[in-house]
Amino acid sequence: MKATDLLKKQHKQVKTLFKKVEKTENPRERRQLMDQIDQELKMHTRIEEQIFYPAVRGIETKKAEEMVMEALEEHHVVDLVLAELPKVDPADERFHAKMTVLSELVEHHVDEEEEEMFPMAEKKLGAEELKALGAQMEQMAGMSGRGRKAA
Ligand SMILES: [Fe+2]
Ligand SMILES: [Fe+2]
């Protein structure tokens, strides 16, 4: 699969999880969904940071470099929120607010990737390279996805 399509697919999966977690008040379900969001976001940002962003950087324009730097900072903020999750009580009334903030953060970031970074990458990297990157990503996603399915 083309690298950008694979990343967009992962974006959709995370968005679906956010919608689900918004709808439930069951603490057990909330905890499960929160763990899943944590895992999927971590895997996704790792794939981007190790495979996709370096390729975008390789375009070697000022714009590409700026986009990657900003994206990395946003990942950093997402990481900070994710690091707090183990302390979040799914039965607490603040749970919903916390998830909403994380979801909005991710949504903003995803919009910038899909509206700016991905179209630029598709234009500059070419079909071959996008396919090769996609294959690398699939491999990495497969490796980290195995054996840690939520109970
Ligand atoms: Fe990202
Ligand atoms: Fe992304």
Side-chain angles (χ1 to χ4, degrees), residues 7-8 11 14-15 18 41 44-49 52-53 66-79 101-119:
L7 294 173
K8 281 187 212 167
H11 288 167
V14 172
K15 274 187 195 176
F18 274 122
L41 277 178
H44 177 74
T45 54
R46 213 176 86 203
I47 286 173
E48 286 185 337
E49 287 173 20
F52 190 68
Y53 291 176
E66 275 171 9
M67 273 185 202
V68 170
M69 299 241 279
E70 194 183 319
L72 287 170
E73 288 305 321
E74 286 172 352
H75 281 190
H76 176 64
V77 180
V78 169
D79 279 344
V101 168
L102 179 61
S103 161
E104 284 173 357
L105 195 66
V106 169
E107 192 158 333
H108 163 82
H109 175 72
V110 160
D111 285 348
E112 282 192 345
E113 286 183 337
E114 293 192 1
E115 283 161 28
E116 293 182 41
M117 190 192 276
F118 293 3

Side-chain angles (χ1 to χ4, degrees), residues 90-145:
D92 192 283
E93 57 180 8
R94 288 177 312 167
F95 181 89
H96 186 76
K98 201 115 191 153
M99 282 301 125
T100 302
V101 168
L102 179 61
S103 161
E104 284 173 357
L105 195 66
V106 169
E107 192 158 333
H108 163 82
H109 175 72
V110 160
D111 285 348
E112 282 192 345
E113 286 183 337
E114 293 192 1
E115 283 161 28
E116 293 182 41
M117 190 192 276
F118 293 3
M120 187 189 64
E122 282 170 354
K123 215 168 99 192
K124 304 265 183 182
L125 293 177
E128 286 288 306
E129 167 109 27
L130 286 169
K131 240 178 119 180
L133 291 169
Q136 280 182 51
M137 290 176 184
E138 268 168 41
Q139 209 185 2
M140 191 184 254
M143 282 183 324
S144 55

